[in-house]
Amino acid sequence: MDDQNKNLLIATGLSFVVILIWFLLFPPPEDTAVEQPEPAATAPVAGDTAATPGTAPGATAETGTAPAQAQTADAPRLPIDTARLSGSISLMGGRIDELKLKDYTVTPDPSSGNVQVLEPVGSGHAYYALYGWAPGAGLGLSDVPGANTEWQVESGETLSADSPVTLRWDSPAGLIFRRTLAVDEDFMFTVTQSVENAGSGSVSAAPYGILARHGEPVDRKKFFVLHEGVVAMADGKLNEIDYSDMPDLDMMQSEGARAEVSQVAENGWIGFTDHYWMTTLIPAPGSAFKQVAKYDDGRDIYQTEAVLPTMSLAPGDSQEVTTQLFAGAKEWETIREYEDQGVDRFIDSIDWGWFFFLTKPIFWLLHHLHQLIGNMGWSIIALTLILKALLFPLAFKSYVSMAKMKELQPEMEKLKERAGDDRQKMQQEMMALYKREKVNPASGCLPILLQIPIFFSLYKVIFVAFELRQAPWFGPFQDLSTPDPTSLFNLFGALPWAAPEPGTTLALVFIGILPLLLGISMYLQQKLNPAPTDATQAMVFAWMPWVFMFMLGGFASGLVLYWITNNTITFTQQYLIMRSQGYKPDVFGNIKSSFKRKAKQADTAKSDKK
């Protein structure tokens, strides 16, 4: 086995092993939480609705029965209507619990309906934002607004970008609570909570915000390359907890549930992130607060909380606090704009992964190419051209080395004959030959090794970035974030029946046209060099393109498009560079010889049977 083929086999095998390990075995890193001192407001066991922070460990929420759910569903509502949002606010608890995105449909079919981010209790998949005050000194649960408080509309009829609304509730303890809700042109709500002490005694309470989700999201991808669950920022430190990990949180008596608690000194936020949508509680910049991720086993409720410090009110005093709520699509430009407006490191709410130092610039470049070109498919092709241009100096050196290795092939065969079984002598003479001819046999592996993290990073970008969702290319390719919709099963649409459903065994076998082109491009790239003389090595090389063809067939079509483009450019570069160095690759001759060898092997097998 000559060293060039040996190195290429090692590099190809390493690529294959790394892909398998990275996609199948590596779990995401687990963040270890450091338990910190907690403020006075604590969270009890959740009921059928979100747990309301109480005054003591183990306190029970004032709501939590089936009738309460019916009351929530039947409660009066206040409409939400902006250019990008529609929904309503339930006056039962004053919760934001119905929200749809006007710009996005469930599927590319316009009749599939708008994406719904928040849903009220009783809908089957309740998901809502709830605000209130945790009682402190001089107050009980019935003296502060909670999940079942019946708010009254003090001003406003419809919440819109230019029309805030104000809710009011008068407490039996002589307190007047107000909640003013505003929303911008995109996905950011501003919630101002105020309390006025019209009673005769001093009291204290802590304002809070809650995001509660009943059960896991029905469309959860459950693929470890994508984080779905709690996402939080605490003074510059990002923390992520998968939905699947929340039932394993430690039981905290002070919170009355399984929970993870941290104290934020200045800047932070916490919420839930899904594949393309996110809700986040955002206290004002510079505000200290308690950050809680919580799971209630009995009710299967996932919950995040932002509990602000306790406020004291003497008779006649009033207090006010303003927080924000993001609820919408994880659009890069929109989130970046909110970060520019003061939401600390909000862009990190997008799951950039371990290779963030590659995924961020790759996405930035892809985003701006898309703005320039206007088509995501052609933008991916343009991105591939740019990446290959950046790696060209290294590729040039590699292909020149490979061409020189081909020139040295006859001399290397002579060395093997002279050395015989003396492997040490053969290695010494070969190293002397490499040094004399200024050839580095390892340089052929470097482009492949460098391409692996770039491949992973681009895969991450295409899988995670919202901008790839339902991004069309042409013809049948109307969503580059999903697998190729064409199939051999119906001859790529020529036959009058549908292709197999994605994820089924038939879909895996009857691949689309893009995976097929991928296999062909890998096969042609392989045929730039004659097949190895070693039978085992030749078999591995022969199967490699078709294994990758089926393995990558179920990946996002945008990623497969990148890989085809990359293979095509690599083939062209290698062919031209090898020609420039005096070595003429015989692609068609190598293809013919491979078929002849197979035919000869078949004849030999028949003869052996006889």
Side-chain angles (χ1 to χ4, degrees):
M1 183 188 299
D2 60 75
D3 280 359
Q4 179 199 347
N5 285 330
K6 184 177 182 180
N7 287 329
L8 187 56
L9 179 62
I10 292 172
T12 306
L14 180 61
S15 302
F16 186 77
V17 170
V18 171
I19 287 175
L20 289 179
I21 291 175
W22 197 81
F23 282 107
L24 300 177
L25 301 180
F26 283 177
E30 296 182 3
D31 292 314
T32 55
V34 178
E35 193 168 324
Q36 301 188 30
E38 302 165 14
T42 56
V45 177
D48 289 338
T49 57
T52 305
T55 57
T60 56
E62 60 180 313
T63 63
T65 61
Q69 292 191 21
Q71 291 172 14
T72 304
D74 297 337
R77 291 187 166 272
L78 201 61
I80 299 172
D81 189 14
T82 73
R84 309 195 68 187
L85 300 173
S86 66
S88 63
I89 302 164
S90 173
L91 296 186
M92 179 67 71
R95 67 187 78 191
I96 304 172
D97 64 355
E98 184 183 19
L99 198 65
K100 293 183 178 181
L101 309 182
K102 292 182 177 180
D103 295 338
Y104 303 111
T105 54
V106 176
T107 70
D109 183 358
S111 64
S112 62
N114 293 114
V115 170
Q116 185 159 357
V117 178
L118 300 179
E119 300 184 40
V121 173
S123 65
H125 306 289
Y127 186 18
Y128 50 89
L130 178 68
Y131 290 84
W133 295 76
L139 296 175
L141 283 171
S142 61
D143 298 323
V144 292
N148 266 9
T149 299
E150 297 184 19
W151 291 80
Q152 302 298 316
V153 178
E154 188 171 68
S155 65
E157 297 180 353
T158 299
L159 176 59
S160 62
D162 56 1
S163 178
V165 297
T166 299
L167 309 180
R168 172 173 172 161
W169 181 69
D170 293 351
S171 165
L175 304 175
I176 301 173
F177 291 92
R178 288 184 175 87
R179 186 177 303 162
T180 300
L181 303 170
V183 64
D184 66 8
E185 294 288 350
D186 293 309
F187 310 122
M188 189 71 81
F189 292 82
T190 300
V191 182
T192 302
Q193 299 183 84
S194 65
V195 57
E196 177 185 343
N197 186 2
S200 57
S202 296
V203 296
S204 63
Y208 64 82
I210 288 176
L211 288 171
R213 177 162 229 161
H214 294 211
E216 292 186 3
V218 292
D219 58 348
R220 184 182 164 208
K221 296 298 183 292
K222 297 184 179 180
F223 190 37
F224 82 90
V225 74
L226 171 70
H227 169 64
E228 295 171 287
V230 175
V231 59
M233 182 65 66
D235 296 319
K237 180 183 178 182
L238 183 68
N239 185 30
E240 297 175 334
I241 309 173
D242 288 344
Y243 286 113
S244 58
D245 292 333
M246 293 188 72
D248 297 326
L249 294 176
D250 293 335
M251 180 66 71
M252 296 187 67
Q253 185 65 28
S254 60
E255 295 295 329
R258 298 185 181 277
E260 183 174 293
V261 178
S262 61
Q263 299 294 332
V264 179
E266 292 184 351
N267 293 296
W269 38 264
I270 186 170
F272 291 110
T273 181
D274 299 329
H275 193 177
Y276 295 125
W277 327 109
M278 180 173 65
T279 57
T280 315
L281 300 167
I282 310 168
S287 301
F289 69 97
K290 182 176 74 169
Q291 199 179 73
V292 184
K294 183 182 295 184
Y295 177 70
D296 174 23
D297 320 64
R299 301 291 192 267
D300 191 27
I301 295 179
Y302 300 83
Q303 189 165 309
T304 60
E305 301 173 3
V307 184
L308 280 73
T310 299
M311 297 179 175
S312 298
L313 294 95
D317 284 352
S318 61
Q319 294 279 5
E320 180 180 281
V321 63
T322 298
T323 60
Q324 291 180 300
L325 166 69
F326 176 92
K330 295 194 291 186
E331 300 170 347
W332 179 77
E333 281 196 340
T334 303
I335 290 177
R336 186 184 61 169
E337 183 178 342
Y338 288 136
E339 181 173 285
D340 292 341
Q341 294 172 5
V343 183
D344 184 46
R345 293 184 58 183
F346 202 37
I347 202 70
D348 288 337
S349 61
I350 299 173
D351 183 16
W352 300 109
W354 301 347
F355 295 115
F356 62 90
F357 52 89
L358 288 175
T359 52
K360 285 185 176 182
I362 285 176
F363 174 79
W364 180 90
L365 181 56
L366 180 62
H367 177 77
H368 285 85
L369 286 171
H370 184 230
Q371 286 186 321
L372 180 65
I373 298 172
N375 181 285
M376 188 58 76
W378 300 119
S379 300
I380 290 174
I381 293 174
L383 174 66
T384 311
L385 286 167
I386 293 173
L387 292 176
K388 294 298 290 184
L390 292 174
L391 292 173
F392 179 75
L394 186 59
F396 182 83
K397 184 178 179 181
S398 169
Y399 298 146
V400 167
S401 177
M402 291 176 67
K404 288 182 178 180
M405 291 286 290
K406 283 296 177 184
E407 293 177 1
L408 296 178
Q409 194 71 24
E411 186 67 24
M412 292 169 64
E413 292 297 330
K414 293 178 181 178
L415 289 179
K416 291 179 183 178
E417 291 178 5
R418 289 199 302 266
D421 295 332
D422 191 344
R423 297 183 61 85
Q424 183 176 359
K425 180 181 178 182
M426 184 182 71
Q427 289 294 335
Q428 289 174 348
E429 292 190 7
M430 288 181 68
M431 292 304 296
L433 177 64
Y434 294 152
K435 186 176 182 180
R436 185 171 63 251
E437 299 294 335
K438 298 180 180 180
V439 174
N440 182 4
S443 62
C445 303
L446 291 178
I448 298 175
L449 296 178
L450 283 177
Q451 194 168 289
I452 292 173
I454 292 175
F455 171 81
F456 289 161
S457 300
L458 188 59
Y459 174 76
K460 182 79 171 180
V461 167
I462 291 175
F463 190 86
V464 170
F466 177 83
E467 285 70 14
L468 270 294
R469 180 183 184 266
Q470 297 181 8
W473 183 23
F474 74 94
F477 306 104
Q478 294 300 307
D479 188 352
L480 290 173
S481 68
T482 60
D484 187 339
T486 64
S487 174
L488 280 168
F489 188 72
N490 60 3
L491 290 182
F492 313 118
L495 299 177
W497 52 74
E501 287 293 325
T504 62
T505 303
L506 281 178
L508 178 66
V509 175
F510 293 98
I511 56 174
I513 191 169
L514 288 182
L516 185 61
L517 291 174
L518 171 66
I520 293 172
S521 68
M522 292 184 69
Y523 178 77
L524 290 176
Q525 187 178 349
Q526 187 185 94
K527 293 306 174 182
L528 281 171
N529 300 298
T533 55
D534 181 81
T536 303
Q537 186 181 4
M539 182 183 66
V540 172
F541 271 66
W543 279 102
M544 190 66 69
W546 317 119
V547 170
F548 271 79
M549 179 179 71
F550 285 101
M551 188 174 75
L552 301 181
F555 282 25
S557 51
L559 182 73
V560 181
L561 174 62
Y562 156 76
W563 204 245
I564 294 170
T565 307
N566 179 78
N567 287 348
T568 304
I569 298 171
T570 300
F571 175 90
T572 305
Q573 285 181 342
Q574 188 173 353
Y575 183 87
L576 294 176
I577 293 172
M578 294 176 80
R579 285 290 298 264
S580 71
Q581 298 300 308
Y583 177 76
K584 184 179 179 181
D586 187 8
V587 177
F588 294 107
N590 292 336
I591 293 174
K592 289 180 181 178
S593 64
S594 66
F595 282 108
K596 289 179 180 178
R597 184 172 61 254
K598 290 178 182 178
K600 185 177 180 181
Q601 290 173 351
D603 292 339
T604 302
K606 290 181 180 178
S607 300
D608 292 342
K609 288 182 179 179
K610 292 179 180 179

